[in-house]
């Protein structure tokens, strides 16, 4: 058993999740990994249970799913996939007919977001703040489903990864709108300790995540 653990055949993969949409992505990836690695136990930890990059360095988790890499000499970041952050609005909303919006277009709206500090929200750091604009109202919600329902009923708008926004767009008659002329481009990463990079089940997770 010790040899099997050392060779990465058996073990426990503790995955830390650093963003709310990461959970949504993980639900699609985790089943395939469990099928591919029946001898590997998997634990999923939200950020209230560990301290982000520091938790990875201190071995509270073995992998961190994050869109915000913070380079560190003992860590390695493997890119999983690129995506665009887009605005989601009801088709009946005044912004619903737009294909592109600038920050000034959102100065009189209600923005829904996940309950994290503004400095960790890309729509603030990459869209509002460079233009010295802020939304009229900002409300935080824990649930993506409730957020989408609020948007669908015209109570405001929200920003989601395009792959997640498209999941709800047709179901709730929503428009996906580009944020700025260049859009907001992001990459989801799997952060791991360099010493664990060659473990077979770590490599398998990254491979499945990219597909």
């Amino acid at each position: 058993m010790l040899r099997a653990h050392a060779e990465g055949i058996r073990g426990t993969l503790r995955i830390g999740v650093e963003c709310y949409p990461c959970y949504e992505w993980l639900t699609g990836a985790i089943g395939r990994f469990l099928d591919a690695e029946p001898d590997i136990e998997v634990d999923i930890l939200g950020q209230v249970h560990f301290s982000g990059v520091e938790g990875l360095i201190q071995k509270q988790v073995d992998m961190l799913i994050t869109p915000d890499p913070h380079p560190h000499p003992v860590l390695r970041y493997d890119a999983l996939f690129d995506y665009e952050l887009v605005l989601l609005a009801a088709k009946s909303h005044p912004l619903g007919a737009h294909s592109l919006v600038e920050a000034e277009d959102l100065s009189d709206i209600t923005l829904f977001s996940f309950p994290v500090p503004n400095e960790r929200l890309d729509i603030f750091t990459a869209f509002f703040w460079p233009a010295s604009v802020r939304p009229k109202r900002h409300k935080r919600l824990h649930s993506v489903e409730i957020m989408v329902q609020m948007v669908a009923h015209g109570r405001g708008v929200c920003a989601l990864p395009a792959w997640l926004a498209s999941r709800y767009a047709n179901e709730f008659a929503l428009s996906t709108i580009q944020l700025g002329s260049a859009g907001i481009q992001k990459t989801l990463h799997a952060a791991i300790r360099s010493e664990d990079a060659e473990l077979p089940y770590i490599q398998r997770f990254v491979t499945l995540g990219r597909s």
Side-chain angles (χ1 to χ4, degrees):
M1 182 175 288
L2 289 173
R3 186 179 301 112
H5 277 276
E7 294 173 354
I9 300 169
R10 292 186 176 192
T12 299
L13 177 60
R14 297 164 300 170
I15 303 174
V17 183
E18 203 173 39
C19 67
Y20 281 80
C22 297
Y23 277 107
E24 300 293 327
W25 172 82
L26 193 57
T27 59
I30 197 66
R32 298 173 64 196
F33 178 77
L34 294 173
D35 287 340
E37 299 287 351
D39 292 327
I40 304 300
E41 296 294 327
V42 176
D43 291 334
I44 311 296
L45 289 83
Q47 197 164 11
V48 294
H49 301 293
F50 72 101
S51 54
V53 168
E54 194 63 29
L56 182 60
I57 295 169
Q58 295 179 357
K59 301 190 177 183
Q60 294 174 290
V61 294
D62 305 304
M63 176 181 291
L64 179 65
I65 306 300
T66 178
D68 299 310
H70 297 283
H72 190 281
V74 304
L75 300 183
R76 171 173 136 179
Y77 287 86
D78 287 337
L80 296 173
F81 64 91
D82 300 325
Y83 65 91
E84 183 177 356
L85 190 73
V86 298
L87 193 74
L88 205 57
K91 290 186 181 295
S92 58
H93 191 276
L95 296 175
H98 289 59
S99 60
L100 181 151
V101 291
E102 298 294 347
E104 293 78 7
D105 300 323
L106 275 61
S107 61
D108 197 37
I109 54 91
T110 297
L111 175 74
F112 297 107
S113 80
F114 296 109
V116 298
N118 289 355
E119 56 266 25
R120 291 191 55 215
L121 291 171
D122 294 311
I123 192 169
F124 278 92
T125 61
F127 188 67
F128 284 125
W129 289 353
S132 300
V133 172
R134 65 176 60 187
K136 185 175 182 179
R137 289 174 293 274
H138 180 199
K139 298 183 179 181
R140 294 174 168 87
L141 298 170
H142 285 271
S143 167
V144 65
E145 287 83 6
I146 292 176
M147 187 184 302
V148 169
Q149 288 281 359
M150 299 290 272
V151 171
H153 287 81
R155 302 302 178 89
V157 299
C158 69
L160 292 176
W163 58 267
L164 183 56
S166 63
R167 185 184 302 178
Y168 296 105
N170 292 331
E171 182 180 356
F172 292 101
L174 302 173
S175 298
T176 57
I177 306 164
Q178 182 174 310
L179 290 162
S181 57
I184 299 177
Q185 310 300 325
K186 298 287 292 182
T187 301
L188 193 67
H189 294 84
I192 54 179
R193 293 181 295 274
S194 298
E195 65 188 60
D196 296 335
E198 301 307 317
L199 286 173
Y201 60 86
I202 295 281
Q203 293 179 335
R204 178 66 65 90
F205 185 93
V206 172
T207 299
L208 289 174
R210 286 172 173 162
S211 64

